[in-house]
Amino acid sequence: MAAFLYRMGRLAFRRRWTVALVWAAVLAAVGLAGMTAPEAEEEPFSMPGIESQEAFDLMEERFPGAAADGATARVVFVSPNGEKVTAAENKKAVEAAIAELADGTQVASTVDPYESGAVSEDGSTAYTTVTYKVDAAGLTDASRGHLDESLEHARDSGLTVEAGGDAMEDMGGPSGTAEAIGVSVAAVVLLITFGSLAAAGLPLLTALIGVGISLFAITALAGPLGLADTTSTVAIMLGLAVGIDYALFIVSRYREERAKGRTAQEAVALATGTAGSAVVFAGLTVVIALAGLSVVGIPMLTEMGLGAAGAVVVGVLIALTLVPAFLGFWPDAILTRKDRKARRAGGTPRETRRVNGGTRWASFVLRRPLPVLLAAVAGLGALALPMTDLQLGMPGDEAKSTQTTQRRAYDALAEGFGPGFNGPLTVVVDARDADDPNAAAETVSERIGGTEGVVSVSPAQFNESGDTAVFSVVPTTAPTGQETKDLVNTIRGDRPGIESEAGATFEVTGTTAMNIDVSEKVQSALVPYLLVVVGLAVILLLVVFRSILIPLKAAAGFLLSVLASLGAVVVVFQQGHGADLLGVETTGPIMSLMPIFLVGIVFGLAMDYEVFLVSRMREAYVHGERPAQAVTSGFQHSARVVVAAALIMIAVFSGFIGDSDAMIKMIGFGLASAVLLDAFVVRMAIVPAVLALLGERAWWLPKWLDRILPRVDVEGEALTRPTGPEAEPAEKDLART
């Protein structure tokens, strides 16, 4: 591996114009494809293998057109000062507002609340549903403007008027603010780390090129594959973070080799052969973790995982080819100012200092490994404790800011009609085999309506064939409440008796039931996913480090960091501690997809730092240093760069905390906290402490396993093995290749 990458880096250095032009052509080609690609149609959320999805599919089959994905807006009217919306003046204002709403060019229908019974028992609240001919993505600016103007005109009458529904969602793309914040902080960190504008700018430039290629490629494929917006957002997030980090490691190793007196070409080749090997395997672990999300069986997770994995692959390829090519264009500009002056004066850059912050920290841990290990594990364990209170769900309008009209509409409906009104259950009765479909549907309705926790059941609506009925069930409790989940389980648990009595089958669906089913599916898939991904990565690390205990230690450290980060997410987003600081106004269940998505990404990133840090220790150990010396050498060369890489990732992920999308905000916080804990607690404290306690045993591998494992030479032993007693290692290897 190291020898192959050595030759690749040297070739990219020599053929830098060709490499640069090839990547420019790739960027231009995918850019053209992305800009000319037809706009992607928003695919409805689907979750194969759960009851609520099967019921929804049955509705689409038996009620063709009724389950159309036209956008809707639920407009809520609340009377002022204790008045009733049925009062003459208020009723007149409501009807005028509905008439104005119905006048929109894309409006399919509106409903009169006084005729449909959509007025609360106390008469304070009424609502209407505006249905559009197109989905939310197809709404024009004129239609959205007409909706907003109609709401404002209705408010002029003195009524409180709010609106929810997908027609109110902002369909615009990402603003780019998060990316700008991340890039700005990354630039500062790189400038401090390298002390050179060119050295700081090169990783940023190559990472942005990689992100551009990935983003255009996803945009071009979004239409044919039906990719969601979150696919590109997550790809940008990860592509930017790993792209900067991978280039950072190549550039850092290049400067280290130049400081030893290597020529620019030698330094590039050696950096690509050694640090590049770590980049390949680190990237491979990330790709395994992301692509492994497809085993969960959730299309949305599969899309996000594969899109992000593609961005990581692009980042690895750019680090191995375009970064060496750019180093060929500016071989000395990457060096520090002192080193450039030394070269102009005919000298050589100074050798890397033997003692730095990394060696001092490593020495501290090596002197007292057990206390450091116990303190780190205890701290992460304390952070992980809130995980025991984890509640999963899919946040809706209730999770939005109270400054939004969607949240105020949600609250008004809950106050006027009860907390369960915002999350009704939908029951689909399949009476195709029943002797009397009407009687069968009535029996199911009556039995479910008599269940404790049900407020009301709507009249059943039949399809044209008269063999399928649908009705709504309003719970007494909020959509995300545990009581509502218990109610769904109770109804499904009573199903055999109800179906036997009715002579027909039924299924429960709706947004609330869908969220419950999704949460249960994700929880059941988490353990198999962990076994697959962690198992593959442990095997990969076994090949890389040729050790039994180091891969197991890496996996254990990952579990600690991911549990602690999930605990931090629960503390903020569920329990509300410090939520105001992050702009989280409403706490509640954690997004169902969050744990498994966080596990996938964090595992890949955690293995990044494991490979980068421990590969330098392995390199020193292979070249003859004692275990404790190898730990110190690894920290001497890698600690500063790993810290910089972690700070860059934290900055990139933290930028997404300001996103208005609750899902992206939660992912950004979870990833930032996970990287913080994994890089600074697990890799910087637990790893050296464990290695110090294990000593020689850390690198133990049974002889029979050593014989059958492939040798990949990540530490670059072949590049530094002399061919003669007076041979210069790099020069002899260069001559050999």
Side-chain angles (χ1 to χ4, degrees), residues 395-404 407 410-411 480 572-576 579-580 582-590 662 665-666:
D397 286 345
E398 77 280 2
K400 288 183 168 62
S401 166
T402 53
Q403 303 300 314
T404 63
R407 169 63 188 280
Y410 180 96
D411 291 342
T480 56
V572 175
F573 290 89
Q574 184 175 307
Q575 299 177 351
D580 291 342
L582 302 180
V584 181
E585 297 191 14
T586 303
T587 58
I590 303 304
K665 181 189 291 285
M666 197 178 293

Side-chain angles (χ1 to χ4, degrees), residues 293-446:
L293 289 170
S294 54
V295 306
V296 180
I298 301 175
M300 180 181 179
L301 269 183
T302 300
E303 293 172 6
M304 293 168 66
L306 293 179
V312 172
V313 170
V314 172
V316 170
L317 293 175
I318 282 183
L320 297 177
T321 56
L322 189 59
V323 170
F326 279 174
L327 289 172
F329 286 121
W330 304 287
D332 292 336
I334 303 299
L335 306 178
T336 63
R337 184 178 301 174
K338 290 182 179 179
D339 289 347
R340 292 197 301 272
K341 285 183 178 179
R343 283 198 170 276
R344 285 195 295 268
T348 59
R350 51 195 170 83
E351 180 78 34
T352 304
R353 290 178 299 170
R354 297 298 300 171
V355 178
N356 56 23
T359 57
R360 285 190 288 270
W361 171 251
S363 300
F364 171 82
V365 176
L366 290 172
R367 287 196 301 270
R368 46 188 70 81
L370 191 58
V372 169
L373 177 62
L374 293 176
V377 171
L380 291 177
L383 274 176
L385 277 178
M387 255 285 291
T388 57
D389 188 38
L390 177 67
Q391 298 174 9
L392 297 180
M394 293 293 285
D397 286 345
E398 77 280 2
K400 288 183 168 62
S401 166
T402 53
Q403 303 300 314
T404 63
T405 185
Q406 296 99 313
R407 169 63 188 280
R408 293 194 295 267
Y410 180 96
D411 291 342
L413 287 170
E415 184 176 350
F417 296 89
F421 186 80
N422 283 297
L425 308 175
T426 301
V427 177
V428 186
V429 181
D430 185 355
R432 176 171 287 181
D433 298 327
D435 296 332
D436 186 347
N438 287 288
E442 185 176 350
T443 299
V444 175
S445 177
E446 288 178 355

Side-chain angles (χ1 to χ4, degrees), residues 2 5-7 9-10 264-274 719 734:
L5 293 177
Y6 176 95
R7 291 190 292 270
R10 190 179 62 179
Q265 180 174 286
E266 287 179 55
V268 166
L270 286 169
T272 309
T274 52
L719 303 183
L734 182 62

Side-chain angles (χ1 to χ4, degrees), residues 611-651:
V611 171
F612 287 136
L613 188 61
V614 181
S615 64
R616 290 309 297 264
M617 299 178 189
R618 168 77 182 170
E619 182 178 338
Y621 180 76
V622 166
H623 293 157
E625 294 189 9
R626 303 297 300 164
Q629 291 176 305
V631 171
T632 303
S633 294
F635 270 81
Q636 175 199 347
H637 295 295
S638 298
R640 186 181 183 189
V641 183
V642 168
V643 167
L647 290 175
I648 289 169
M649 279 202 179
I650 292 168

Side-chain angles (χ1 to χ4, degrees), residues 70-77 94 97-99 101-102 107-114 116 118 126-132 147 162-167 413 421:
T72 59
R74 180 179 282 180
V75 182
V76 186
F77 305 92
V94 170
I98 293 173
L101 287 166
V107 173
S109 65
T110 56
V111 179
D112 188 325
Y114 303 104
S116 63
Y127 72 90
T128 183
T129 300
V130 182
T131 304
Y132 289 86
L147 175 58
E162 307 295 348
D166 57 356
L413 287 170
F421 186 80

